[in-house]
């Protein structure tokens, strides 16, 4: 490629990648000047809404030109991308790097986790600051920042957990939204006695999110049922990983998903369901979507790349390695979730990457409720979605880009800075080799964890080059991650994609009172004896014969030979201040046994 001045530039050819030992984490990146100007030439640019054969010119970390026959200055480094796709860097909406959890820490930290992300074509993660119950949300946010900022190799954002509720929590949500670049808050409906919120706390959190223009997220499982089921299973001697899925079957996830949708809708708050694992929960989301509820659904790589049959593997370690919450579901689920990703009932894919080594999982060797929950995914998400989605003919490359990157950028209000190959967007780009294959294995992956739930899977789709803020961080499959190079990306509230219709919607759905003349009839006295005529009126509505075959007695009272029951279970004496002592035990249709009917 000749630059303007005819000088032949350094040319890199995207070949089938190979994985070699990563550079030490503090390795210096190549010559900065060469990094400053980059041309990706000969590839096919894929955005969520279109594909085009085009070159991409990058300078100072920003995409400056997209098109053909571009004029580029001297000193430009060229990546030959012929036969490759040029896609927006993946955005993983759901990770937990070095999470303190269930008595230990997730083994992939913000360095190993983000280095692995880059290796697989993900250039941004969204992690969670999760305060302990009673802890300040703002302090938790700063603690996560202190962990991540020095280590991340790629850009990141934070969601913040609302793991308890008080007015102070509401005030801190406001501070985080207005001052710290947080626009999404996650409420847990599971993890009873630690992070679980009850319905009134969920309503308060959702109302606050609505006021702030933030997105409410939920972990949707019914924690009370899980606690009861776990107790029962353990009492039956079922202590293995199979008990994990048995304790929280699909309907336990679907119930919480539905409840969250109703609660959020009742306060007009947009809702994001994290980590949809079951087809039942996914169909609940689809039903609410088609009722006009503002709800988005995220699934994860493991949910479409593997399944819950592994809970029953005779090897305890293998089974425990698949324990995550909500759990992996039956083998028919991956196909269903992929279809729903394609048609739009589900919109994003994360990983819930929360990794624990075999010895950490063994904390639950005698009790499945003590197995640290979580699996890998951050490194393999893009290839798994490409293999199970595009290669399987279940989505096209544009939809792949949508569900792995663009939709997340739109929902979390960082579009088109992220999630698009366009002039002005960050140069977070993957030169994607759709034909190359690799075999996923813990023996070769970059992650720190000693297990991979996709072990042995051969996948098409390899990130030959990954560019992160304009710097080549993966070159022919060799990761050149630089710890601390990634940046925190603030997410502002009032995402147009999420809140764009809220004002008109609230106006259209606003309740209105009925204008009517005031009631001017008699009014009974509270808790006093009902005036006799009122009793007669309330007991024997003149217009209704629903309870009686004959009129009142001469004294105007109730004829006790008549049945006072109605099929609805209502009793004619329901309306009088206190019931007569006489109770009829033989309703129409026979003697009651145990209950009324
Ligand atoms: O539940 C989550 O999302 C976090 C706490 C980790 N646990 C898990 O099962 N992934
Ligand atoms: Zn999670």
């Amino acid at each position: 490629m000749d630059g303007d001045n005819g000088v032949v530039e350094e040319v890199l050819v995207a070949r089938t990648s190979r994985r070699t030992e990563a550079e030490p984490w503090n390795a210096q990146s190549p010559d900065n000047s060469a990094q400053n100007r980059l041309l990706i030439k000969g590839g096919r640019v894929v955005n969520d809404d279109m594909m085009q054969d085009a070159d991409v010119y990058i300078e100072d970390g920003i995409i400056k030109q997209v098109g053909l026959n571009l004029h580029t200055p001297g000193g430009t480094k060229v990546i030959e991308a012929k036969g490759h796709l040029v896609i927006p860097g993946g955005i993983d909406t759901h990770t937990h790097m070095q999470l303190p959890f269930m008595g230990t820490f997730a083994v992939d930290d913000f360095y190993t986790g983000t280095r692995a992300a880059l290796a697989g074509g993900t250039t941004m993660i969204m992690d969670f600051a999760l305060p302990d119950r009673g802890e300040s949300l703002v302090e938790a946010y700063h603690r996560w920042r202190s962990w991540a900022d020095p280590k991340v190799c790629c850009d990141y954002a934070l969601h913040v957990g609302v793991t308890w509720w008080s007015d102070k929590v509401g005030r801190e949500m406001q501070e985080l939204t207005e001052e710290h670049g947080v626009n999404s808050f996650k409420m847990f409906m599971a993890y009873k006695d630690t992070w679980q919120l009850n319905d009134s706390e969920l309503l308060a959190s959702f109302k606050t999110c609505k006021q702030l223009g933030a997105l409410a997220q939920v972990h949707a499982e019914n924690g009370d049922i899980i606690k009861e089921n776990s107790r029962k299973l353990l009492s039956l001697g079922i202590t293995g990983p199979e008990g994990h899925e048995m304790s929280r079957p699909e309907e336990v996830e679907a119930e919480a998903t539905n409840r969250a949708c109703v609660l959020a809708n009742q306060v007009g708050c947009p809702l994001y369901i994290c980590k949809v694992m079951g087809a039942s929960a996914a169909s609940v989301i689809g039903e609410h979507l088609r009722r006009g509820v503002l709800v988005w659904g995220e699934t994860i790589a493991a949910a479409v790349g593997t399944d819950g049959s592994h809970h029953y593997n005779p090897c305890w370690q293998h089974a425990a390695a698949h324990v995550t919450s909500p759990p992996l579901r039956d083998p028919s689920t991956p196909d269903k979730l992929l279809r729903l990703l394609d048609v739009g009932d589900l919109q994003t894919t994360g990983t819930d990457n929360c990794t624990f080594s075999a010895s950490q999982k063994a904390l639950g060797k005698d009790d499945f409720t003590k197995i640290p929950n979580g699996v890998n995914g951050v490194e393999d998400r893009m290839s798994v979605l490409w293999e199970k989605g595009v290669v399987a003919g279940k989505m096209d490359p544009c939809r792949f880009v949508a569900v792995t990157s663009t939709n997340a950028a739109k929902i979390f209000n960082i579009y088109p800075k992220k999630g698009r190959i366009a002039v002005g967007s960050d140069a977070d780009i993957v030169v994607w080799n759709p034909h190359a294959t690799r075999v996923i294995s813990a023996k070769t992956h970059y992650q720190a964890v000693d297990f991979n739930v996709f072990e042995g899977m051969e996948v098409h789709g390899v990130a030959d080059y990954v560019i992160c803020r304009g710097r080549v961080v993966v070159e022919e499959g060799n990761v050149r991650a630089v710890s601390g190079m990634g940046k925190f990306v603030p997410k502002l509230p009032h995402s147009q994609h999420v809140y764009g219709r809220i004002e008109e919607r609230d106006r259209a759905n606003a309740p209105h009172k009925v204008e009517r003349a005031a009631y001017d009839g008699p009014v009974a006295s509270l808790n006093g004896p009902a005036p006799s005529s009122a009793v007669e009126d309330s007991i024997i509505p003149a217009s209704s014969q629903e309870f009686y075959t004959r009129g009142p007695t001469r004294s105007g009272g109730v004829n006790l030979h008549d049945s006072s029951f109605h099929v609805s279970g209502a009793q004619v004496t329901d309306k009088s201040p206190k019931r007569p002592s006489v109770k009829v035990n033989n309703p129409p249709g026979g003697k009651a046994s145990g209950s009324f009917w």
Side-chain angles (χ1 to χ4, degrees):
M1 163 69 196
D2 286 355
D4 274 349
N5 56 12
V7 173
V8 175
E9 311 302 336
E10 182 187 359
V11 177
L12 296 160
V13 178
R15 284 187 288 273
T16 304
S17 68
R18 57 187 180 284
R19 295 199 167 233
T20 57
E21 188 43 47
E23 303 262 319
W25 65 269
N26 58 357
Q28 290 308 311
S29 61
D31 169 17
N32 274 317
S33 62
Q35 289 291 333
N36 193 23
R37 291 189 291 278
L38 188 60
L39 177 67
I40 303 171
K41 185 169 172 43
R44 167 161 292 190
V45 169
V46 183
N47 279 309
D48 68 326
D49 56 359
M50 62 172 285
M51 284 196 226
Q52 62 178 113
D53 292 334
D55 302 340
V56 181
Y57 177 66
I58 297 151
E59 200 169 288
D60 299 331
I62 301 294
I63 296 172
K64 301 290 190 184
Q65 300 177 65
V66 178
L68 295 175
N69 307 315
L70 303 181
H71 292 285
T72 57
T76 298
K77 182 173 182 175
V78 178
I79 294 176
E80 285 294 355
K82 189 171 173 48
H84 288 64
L85 302 179
V86 181
I87 63 175
I91 299 174
D92 186 336
T93 52
H94 189 154
T95 63
H96 299 283
M97 303 309 176
Q98 64 192 79
L99 175 70
F101 191 54
M102 298 181 76
T104 185
F105 282 84
V107 69
D108 273 298
D109 66 9
F110 280 104
Y111 171 61
T112 61
T114 53
R115 180 182 61 172
L118 290 173
T122 289
T123 55
M124 181 174 181
I125 65 168
M126 295 184 180
D127 208 282
F128 291 81
L130 300 177
D132 294 328
R133 184 172 280 271
E135 181 191 6
S136 156
L137 276 63
V138 173
E139 285 175 17
Y141 163 85
H142 287 301
R143 184 162 75 251
W144 255 261
R145 287 294 307 268
S146 71
W147 290 343
D149 286 346
K151 286 186 178 179
V152 286
C153 304
C154 72
D155 286 1
Y156 80 104
L158 287 177
H159 314 293
V160 174
V162 177
T163 54
W164 61 291
W165 182 258
S166 72
D167 290 345
K168 176 176 185 280
V169 169
R171 290 192 297 275
E172 290 207 316
M173 289 170 69
Q174 180 174 4
E175 179 184 341
L176 286 163
T177 304
E178 293 176 354
E179 300 173 29
H180 299 297
V182 173
N183 71 3
S184 47
F185 294 93
K186 181 175 183 182
M187 282 56 83
F188 290 85
M189 302 170 80
Y191 303 126
K192 182 141 179 81
D193 308 325
T194 49
W195 293 341
Q196 181 176 326
L197 301 187
N198 62 37
D199 287 359
S200 61
E201 291 165 333
L202 288 169
L203 279 174
S205 310
F206 293 169
K207 278 162 57 181
T208 305
C209 286
K210 169 73 177 294
Q211 288 157 2
L212 298 172
L215 183 57
Q217 300 172 288
V218 288
H219 176 127
E221 289 186 287
N222 185 310
D224 292 278
I225 296 175
I226 293 166
K227 183 174 181 178
E228 172 56 21
N229 284 347
S230 300
R231 184 198 59 72
K232 207 184 308 178
L233 289 160
L234 290 170
S235 71
L236 295 172
I238 300 173
T239 63
E242 68 280 8
H244 178 72
E245 203 273 335
M246 291 175 184
S247 68
R248 45 219 306 164
E250 277 207 41
E251 67 178 7
V252 175
E253 179 190 1
E255 182 278 331
T257 302
N258 182 63
R259 180 157 41 100
C261 288
V262 171
L263 291 170
N265 193 45
Q266 286 297 304
V267 295
C269 176
L271 178 69
Y272 181 94
I273 311 287
C274 294
K275 195 180 175 184
V276 176
M277 297 296 283
S280 323
S283 62
V284 164
I285 293 169
E287 287 158 25
H288 283 285
L289 275 172
R290 276 175 278 287
R291 289 179 51 236
V293 175
L294 288 180
V295 58
W296 286 262
E298 166 203 276
T299 189
I300 66 169
V304 301
T306 184
D307 62 60
S309 60
H310 293 277
H311 293 120
Y312 301 87
N313 191 294
C315 166
W316 187 92
Q317 179 192 340
H318 182 99
H322 289 80
V323 167
T324 185
S325 294
L328 293 165
R329 301 295 184 191
D330 73 58
S332 69
T333 302
D335 177 66
K336 293 172 185 172
L337 296 179
L338 284 159
R339 301 289 179 191
L340 294 173
L341 274 172
D342 185 43
V343 299
D345 280 16
L346 297 174
Q347 294 81 26
T348 61
T349 56
T351 58
D352 201 6
N353 192 94
C354 190
T355 49
F356 299 99
S357 61
S359 58
Q360 291 174 300
K361 290 276 186 175
L363 290 168
K365 65 184 180 58
D366 303 316
D367 175 349
F368 66 82
T369 66
K370 295 185 171 57
I371 299 172
N373 288 196
V375 297
N376 65 289
V378 75
E379 180 169 346
D380 301 310
R381 177 180 67 108
M382 299 290 275
S383 297
V384 167
L385 263 293
W386 186 265
E387 179 70 23
K388 299 295 184 182
V390 179
V391 174
K394 293 174 184 164
M395 62 178 73
D396 69 15
C398 291
R399 188 65 194 158
F400 168 81
V401 166
V403 302
T404 59
S405 180
T406 310
N407 288 352
K410 290 178 175 177
I411 292 166
F412 292 104
N413 208 15
I414 53 176
Y415 182 85
K417 171 183 172 67
K418 302 290 186 184
R420 189 168 186 82
I421 304 286
V423 171
S425 297
D426 284 4
D428 291 355
I429 300 171
V430 178
V431 177
W432 188 253
N433 186 334
H435 310 298
T437 62
R438 65 185 178 95
V439 177
I440 296 175
S441 173
K443 299 182 186 65
T444 54
H445 69 200
Y446 284 92
Q447 295 201 228
V449 65
D450 58 5
F451 193 90
N452 191 311
V453 291
F454 309 114
E455 187 69 33
M457 184 189 295
E458 183 175 27
V459 291
H460 290 81
V462 174
D464 273 1
Y465 283 83
V466 178
I467 294 103
C468 196
R469 282 186 183 262
R471 292 174 72 148
V472 180
V473 291
V474 175
E475 197 164 344
E476 296 174 27
N478 300 315
V479 179
R480 302 183 180 291
V482 176
S483 186
M485 191 201 87
K487 299 280 181 285
F488 174 73
V489 178
K491 301 190 274 97
L492 300 181
H494 299 291
S495 159
Q496 170 63 27
H497 190 74
V498 170
Y499 274 90
R501 74 184 95 162
I502 280 280
E503 279 185 35
E504 290 73 11
R505 188 175 186 273
D506 287 352
R507 193 177 300 119
N509 296 343
H512 298 285
K513 75 172 192 175
V514 174
E515 298 298 336
R516 59 166 68 85
Y519 169 76
D520 60 4
V523 179
S525 57
L526 277 178
N527 305 322
S532 58
S533 60
V535 169
E536 286 156 20
D537 293 348
S538 66
I539 281 180
I540 309 170
S543 59
S544 154
Q545 294 302 316
E546 59 179 337
F547 293 113
Y548 282 88
T549 55
R550 50 188 142 183
T553 60
R554 275 192 299 279
S555 64
V558 176
N559 188 316
L560 292 182
H561 295 295
D562 272 332
S563 155
S564 66
F565 285 89
H566 187 273
V567 288
S568 69
Q571 298 184 48
V572 288
T573 49
D574 277 353
K575 294 175 187 165
S576 61
K578 65 180 180 56
R579 288 191 181 173
S581 58
V582 176
K583 188 189 264 185
V584 176
N585 288 325
N586 300 324
K591 187 173 174 56
S593 55
S595 61
F596 274 122
W597 304 116

